[in-house]
Amino acid sequence: MSYGKVVPVFGRTGLDVNLRNLSALSTRRLQSSVASKQQNRRTEERAYVDYAVPETDIQADLIQQSRNHAFNKNKISVDFETTKEAYKSKDTGELLRSLLVFKLCSYDLLVDKNKEIMDLSKKILGQKTFERIMKMTFYGQFVAGEDHQAIRPLVQRNRSYGVGAVLDYSVEEDLTKEEAENKEMESCVSAAEKESPGDTHREKKYKAYRKFGDRRGGVTSARTYFYADENKCDQHMETFLQCIKASGGSSEDGFSAIKMTALGRPQFLLQFSEVLVKWRSFFNFFAAKQGMEGMDVLQQKLDLEKLQAHLKKLGAKGDFQNWFTGEKIGSSGTIDLLDWNSLIDDRTRISNLLVVPNLEIGQLEPLLNEFTEEEEKQMKRMLQRMDVLAKHAMANGVRLMVDAEQTYFQPAISRLTLEMQRIFNRDKPVIFNTFQCYLKEAFDNVSMDVELSRREGWYFGAKLVRGAYMVQERSRASEIGYEDPINPDYESTNQMYHKCLDYVLEEIGNSRTANVMVASHNLDTVRFTLRRMSDLGLVPTDRKVYFGQLLGMCDQISFPLGQAGFPVYKYVPYGPVNEVIPYLVRRAQENRGFMKGAQAERVLLWKELLRRVTSGEVFYRPA
């Protein structure tokens, strides 16, 4: 099967994207190449340790010693308990500030009334005094500065201790709940739905509901964007461009984070997500018919003859007959989910992406009866803004991190990010997608994207997180009446995270074209990563496995990793004091749960403070 066909979504929009001519690589050729590399590597390893046939006990002992030497040589060990090294980048005042802020974050009353207390303090103290106090406490702990010039000293200091930056302009509109709900309902409902609310084929999960219109509720992550108009989206794009330039100017291998809901009308993300899920459900329907229900997603391969027979039995006609011809089918006579996904790549206008199969009439039908010309333009502009950002990231030597969002937006976000990866990750990893491992389908999503990168020969880039929307997602699923997308408990989420991580690490070991950021504050996960890197012979200088934590949190993990030579990054938020208050409220809420669940960081901070007092280093300042 040929995979020389290039990225259709961006191509269809009429964007000025200079695509490379891709080689038509078959799955078998790529798999054969990977298998060959693995075989060669295993042969070299055997040649290194098994240099003689053990004819005697002495020879056997020598061989075992050689094996042990090879294992110990690759063994990775980082000490997370030595506070002098962990806090080498902090002066004593910063240690005291961390202890104060973490303690305040453990009081429910202060956290729950955080915004009200800040507003009252501003009135009583005045703007200047309020800002000074904020910079000495919460703002100074979690935010790097007001603009890309102000953050440079902190970014460069962290860099000198081996810790890079993921720049994140963290300004949000300070909307009331009612204002947020109104914006969401206006921007997530199409003109056709407003005119004829009941005359659609929409699934309830992918409709907008006023009760859940304020997407900030039950969320501890930074930045929530609500659509106002196209000019506002252009402003967001310009902000992201400045962030990319600042990241490129502050280090040679930085990251910049973006959110797709900032770049266009969310109506398109809702509708495109629904289309993608319906097409996948259609595939799952036929997989079940062929006895493959419950199998791993990439093991499900539909037999084309049986598929045609099922379609005929169901009375399918029209477009269905032309689906499985030419490049769409493989010589093996089977089709997997990645082949199936390519079926939606043959559209011209953007709105024609939003068609779904209807077996009752045997044809493809639009998700909505009609798209206005303006809606068509809005969809196209979102893709254009993404293209501009990706090109600027390439030009500035910056990796672009696309943040994850709610599950009713995420299929579209992931697909559009994938399309950017297929264009811009040809020579190196530029675009990174984010996978939320508290989702039941996380492993399927990771494994499918890795497999597609193998087939098409581009660099896979991923950030793995546990997830930020659990309370909101569970409440919405229960209230509206669809399956809860979240794993049932924290332990199953841990298992999913490690399963996804292990899969990507093995891919890195096999091909060296995959890249992953382990975005976690969980020390067990960090240690699991180091252990698996040792097992797979991966070393920090490969710069394929990155670590990420939030600024102001878990320095005892970040800095020892950085000083041990690992590529480790802090998510570095910045913006004016008043405009990042919504972000600070979220950080306080997140840190409350974090500090209640683990006292390790405060214990280590006190330990380092005591060490400095007893060793005469109270006035220590980092070099």
Side-chain angles (χ1 to χ4, degrees):
M1 180 174 184
S2 171
Y3 287 91
K5 201 167 125 183
V6 293
V7 192
V9 169
F10 283 90
R12 283 190 300 273
T13 65
L15 303 183
D16 181 22
V17 179
N18 185 18
L19 302 180
R20 300 177 182 272
N21 293 322
L22 308 183
S23 300
L25 297 175
S26 68
T27 306
R28 279 194 299 276
R29 280 181 60 193
L30 278 169
Q31 289 174 337
S32 174
S33 173
V34 170
S36 176
K37 289 178 183 176
Q38 290 173 327
Q39 183 63 36
N40 290 340
R41 187 176 173 198
R42 283 194 293 268
T43 301
E44 290 170 3
E45 289 170 352
R46 283 199 300 271
Y48 179 69
V49 294
D50 293 336
Y51 49 82
V53 177
E55 295 179 355
T56 68
D57 290 342
I58 294 175
Q59 285 179 328
D61 288 343
L62 287 172
I63 291 171
Q64 187 59 48
Q65 288 173 20
S66 180
R67 285 184 176 137
N68 291 340
H69 172 74
F71 175 78
N72 290 329
K73 183 180 177 182
N74 289 328
K75 190 174 182 180
I76 298 171
S77 178
V78 179
D79 184 358
F80 297 105
E81 302 296 328
T82 304
T83 61
K84 183 176 180 178
E85 294 301 314
Y87 299 110
K88 187 189 288 187
S89 66
K90 308 293 180 188
D91 64 36
T92 303
E94 289 173 305
L95 298 185
L96 290 169
R97 182 185 66 195
S98 296
L99 284 165
L100 172 64
V101 170
F102 290 159
K103 184 63 178 177
L104 292 175
C105 286
S106 68
Y107 293 118
D108 288 339
L109 180 63
L110 289 178
V111 174
D112 292 338
K113 300 297 182 182
N114 196 333
K115 190 175 184 304
E116 291 85 346
I117 292 171
M118 288 186 187
D119 290 341
L120 180 61
S121 300
K122 194 187 307 180
K123 289 179 182 177
I124 295 172
L125 300 172
Q127 183 65 32
K128 286 187 177 180
T129 304
F130 171 75
E131 288 189 8
R132 192 177 299 117
I133 291 174
M134 290 299 294
K135 288 179 179 180
M136 291 169 61
T137 53
F138 290 96
Y139 182 94
Q141 182 72 17
F142 299 123
V143 183
E146 300 207 20
D147 54 41
H148 64 271
Q149 293 296 334
I151 69 175
R152 184 166 292 182
L154 183 142
V155 170
Q156 291 179 341
R157 180 174 54 154
N158 284 355
R159 184 70 188 164
S160 70
Y161 288 93
V163 176
V166 181
L167 296 192
D168 185 12
Y169 191 68
S170 297
V171 169
E172 289 184 15
E173 284 186 277
D174 192 10
L175 302 174
T176 66
K177 187 174 187 297
E178 184 179 5
E179 287 171 336
E181 289 172 351
N182 290 339
K183 282 179 177 286
E184 187 76 348
M185 295 307 295
E186 178 62 29
S187 61
C188 287
V189 181
S190 69
E193 289 176 301
K194 289 174 184 175
E195 290 179 8
S196 306
D199 191 23
T200 68
H201 309 284
R202 305 292 306 280
E203 295 286 340
K204 53 189 174 183
K205 179 177 179 178
Y206 299 98
K207 292 182 180 179
Y209 297 88
R210 177 170 289 277
K211 182 173 180 179
F212 298 96
D214 186 356
R215 286 182 275 113
R216 300 168 300 182
V219 178
T220 56
S221 65
R223 293 176 311 149
T224 300
Y225 292 95
F226 294 94
Y227 181 84
D229 52 43
E230 292 299 295
N231 288 334
K232 192 69 173 177
C233 292
D234 286 336
Q235 291 174 23
H236 291 153
M237 183 185 73
E238 288 299 324
T239 298
F240 291 149
L241 288 174
Q242 292 173 15
C243 197
I244 289 170
K245 290 174 184 175
S247 185
S250 61
S251 67
E252 71 276 7
D253 59 353
F255 283 90
S256 188
I258 66 170
K259 275 201 170 183
M260 217 166 278
T261 47
L263 298 175
R265 190 180 180 91
Q267 172 197 334
F268 175 48
L269 296 176
L270 268 179
Q271 292 165 350
F272 192 27
S273 291
E274 181 173 355
V275 167
L276 292 168
V277 170
K278 282 189 172 180
W279 277 86
R280 182 163 174 173
S281 297
F282 197 38
F283 178 90
N284 292 340
F285 169 79
F286 286 114
K289 286 286 184 183
Q290 295 190 20
M292 289 177 280
E293 189 173 13
M295 291 175 60
D296 286 347
V297 64
L298 288 174
Q299 298 297 319
Q300 297 177 340
K301 299 181 185 295
L302 302 183
D303 181 279
L304 291 179
E305 289 186 5
K306 292 180 180 178
L307 178 59
Q308 294 286 13
H310 283 140
L311 287 168
K312 186 175 181 181
K313 186 177 180 181
L314 291 167
K317 55 186 178 181
D319 286 341
F320 286 116
Q321 302 305 317
N322 297 317
W323 280 8
F324 312 106
T325 59
E327 290 188 350
K328 295 191 184 75
I329 61 172
S331 57
S332 64
T334 62
I335 183 169
D336 65 16
L337 186 55
L338 293 177
D339 304 323
W340 183 269
N341 285 342
S342 72
L343 294 173
I344 69 169
D345 287 346
D346 302 315
R347 309 284 176 253
T348 51
R349 298 174 68 235
I350 299 298
S351 57
N352 287 344
L353 278 170
L354 304 179
V355 294
V356 292
N358 186 330
L359 285 174
E360 294 180 4
I361 60 174
Q363 294 177 351
L364 297 175
E365 63 182 10
L367 192 66
L368 299 174
N369 292 334
E370 183 182 359
F371 288 87
T372 66
E373 185 177 347
E374 179 56 28
E375 286 172 337
E376 185 86 17
K377 288 179 180 177
Q378 289 169 351
M379 296 176 195
K380 184 174 180 178
R381 288 189 202 115
M382 177 183 281
L383 303 183
Q384 289 172 328
R385 293 181 187 109
M386 291 164 55
D387 182 64
V388 168
L389 292 172
K391 285 179 176 175
H392 274 75
M394 285 276 287
N396 286 272
V398 174
R399 276 79 57 88
L400 206 58
M401 193 85 74
V402 182
D403 284 345
E405 304 192 45
Q406 285 85 353
T407 54
Y408 43 91
F409 293 140
Q410 193 56 45
I413 291 171
S414 291
R415 179 58 183 255
L416 295 175
T417 303
L418 181 69
E419 302 291 9
M420 286 201 294
Q421 290 179 313
R422 295 166 83 181
I423 297 172
F424 296 102
N425 285 14
R426 304 304 307 178
D427 300 317
K428 60 182 179 180
V430 176
I431 309 298
F432 279 63
N433 197 5
T434 300
F435 296 88
Q436 299 189 102
C437 294
Y438 67 6
L439 297 178
K440 295 173 182 175
E441 60 182 23
F443 181 76
D444 285 349
N445 294 336
V446 169
S447 59
M448 281 197 299
D449 284 8
V450 168
E451 174 62 21
L452 187 64
S453 72
R454 287 185 197 132
R455 295 186 185 186
E456 297 184 340
W458 44 268
Y459 285 78
F460 174 81
K463 178 178 74 170
L464 298 183
V465 300
R466 279 173 170 77
Y469 303 95
M470 183 178 72
V471 174
Q472 184 188 102
E473 292 275 15
R474 283 209 160 125
S475 175
R476 191 177 189 271
S478 174
E479 185 86 11
I480 295 170
Y482 57 85
E483 183 184 353
D484 184 354
I486 311 293
N487 287 319
D489 52 45
Y490 186 75
E491 183 52 40
S492 57
T493 293
N494 277 344
Q495 291 172 6
M496 179 65 78
Y497 193 104
H498 290 178
K499 183 179 180 181
C500 293
L501 175 56
D502 197 48
Y503 186 85
V504 180
L505 290 174
E506 288 195 356
E507 180 65 14
I508 294 171
N510 291 335
S511 69
R512 304 287 165 153
T513 57
N515 300 262
V516 65
M517 175 173 279
V518 183
S520 175
H521 294 161
N522 188 306
L523 186 55
D524 288 339
T525 292
V526 173
R527 285 177 168 149
F528 170 86
T529 307
L530 300 181
R531 185 169 64 252
R532 291 298 292 134
M533 288 180 69
S534 291
D535 295 342
L536 294 164
L538 303 177
V539 295
T541 51
D542 291 334
R543 302 195 71 80
K544 297 289 184 182
V545 182
Y546 314 94
F547 294 88
Q549 289 87 37
L550 293 167
L551 183 71
M553 296 173 67
C554 288
D555 288 345
Q556 80 279 10
I557 293 177
S558 307
F559 285 90
L561 284 170
Q563 291 165 47
F566 288 89
V568 58
Y569 293 82
K570 286 289 194 183
Y571 245 71
V572 177
Y574 67 99
V577 176
N578 282 330
E579 296 179 50
V580 298
I581 283 179
Y583 173 84
L584 290 172
V585 171
R586 295 174 197 279
R587 279 288 74 81
Q589 291 169 344
E590 178 172 290
N591 212 33
R592 168 180 56 184
F594 175 80
M595 290 311 299
K596 282 187 173 181
Q599 299 296 324
E601 186 158 7
R602 278 198 290 178
V603 169
L604 290 173
L605 283 165
W606 278 115
K607 183 179 176 182
E608 173 59 11
L609 193 61
L610 181 61
R611 188 198 67 79
R612 290 187 186 182
V613 169
T614 56
S615 63
E617 297 181 40
V618 174
F619 300 105
Y620 167 82
R621 297 190 67 82

